[in-house]
Amino acid sequence: VTFVSNTGTAMYNSGTTDATSSPVLTNGIFDGNSGVAINSTHSSLTIMNATFNGNSGGAIYHGYGDLVLTGVTFNKNTTSGSGGAIQSASSSLTLTNAIFVGNSAGLWGGAMHNTTSNPVLTNGSFFDNHAASHGGAIGNFNSSPVLTNVTFGSNSATSRGGAIYNVADSLGTSNPILTNAILWGNTAS
């Protein structure tokens, strides 16, 4: 499945609080789309063996549902908002064998931004991602990701958290768990 140079949203999935859409994508390419490549709410979305390259507006926005990503690569996706590759809000996110390279956000999370989400990432790498505000690779708000076998290298943030930025308000917590992780050469002012 290939989505190339679409304007707006390349793929839109939506359900209601009582029902969800449940697309499954295998061997997909999302390249050069203008606007978020995938916008998915109240949806159980599964993506296997996919590449997201050079999408402006971000690669994936996912809220209120399950998002399962296996064998995905995010390369040079950008957004003026948060989460150059993935923005996750109030959702369940599971990533396995994920690579994030050269993604950027105008606000939080050059590669990923999580709000009230507790993603589980196993076998991942984050290189050369940038946030104009907080969290060069990952920005977490009221989110506690579990990261296992991950590497963060040469990510940067203009303000705080060259690799990861965590913050919570009085209603939540932000306590990431990192196991077997390497953080090397990440910078923030």
Side-chain angles (χ1 to χ4, degrees):
V1 180
T2 303
F3 296 83
V4 177
S5 300
N6 294 286
T7 301
T9 299
M11 181 177 176
Y12 182 78
N13 310 307
S14 182
T16 65
T17 56
D18 298 326
T20 62
S21 63
S22 302
V24 176
L25 296 174
T26 304
N27 301 324
I29 297 172
F30 292 81
D31 189 9
N33 296 289
S34 176
V36 65
I38 297 176
N39 186 336
S40 183
T41 57
H42 295 289
S43 174
S44 294
L45 176 61
T46 301
I47 301 173
M48 297 172 287
N49 304 322
T51 301
F52 294 82
N53 185 59
N55 297 289
S56 62
I60 298 174
Y61 169 81
H62 191 270
Y64 306 99
D66 298 328
L67 176 60
V68 177
L69 304 172
T70 305
V72 292
T73 300
F74 296 92
N75 183 49
K76 297 183 181 176
N77 299 286
T78 63
T79 182
S80 58
S82 296
I86 300 173
Q87 184 175 15
S88 174
S90 300
S91 66
S92 171
L93 174 59
T94 304
L95 296 102
T96 307
N97 301 326
I99 299 170
F100 298 85
V101 179
N103 300 287
S104 63
L107 297 173
W108 290 31
M112 290 178 64
H113 181 252
N114 304 302
T115 301
T116 319
S117 296
N118 298 316
V120 175
L121 171 59
T122 305
N123 302 330
S125 58
F126 296 82
F127 292 100
D128 297 317
N129 299 288
H130 177 75
S133 185
H134 305 328
I138 300 175
N140 296 307
F141 178 75
N142 288 348
S143 298
S144 298
V146 176
L147 309 170
T148 306
N149 301 332
V150 293
T151 301
F152 294 87
S154 301
N155 299 288
S156 63
T158 302
S159 186
R160 298 177 179 152
I164 305 171
Y165 179 73
N166 307 292
V167 67
D169 62 16
S170 61
L171 301 175
T173 60
S174 188
N175 300 309
I177 298 170
L178 283 80
T179 304
N180 194 31
I182 297 171
L183 290 86
W184 184 267
N186 301 288
T187 60
S189 62

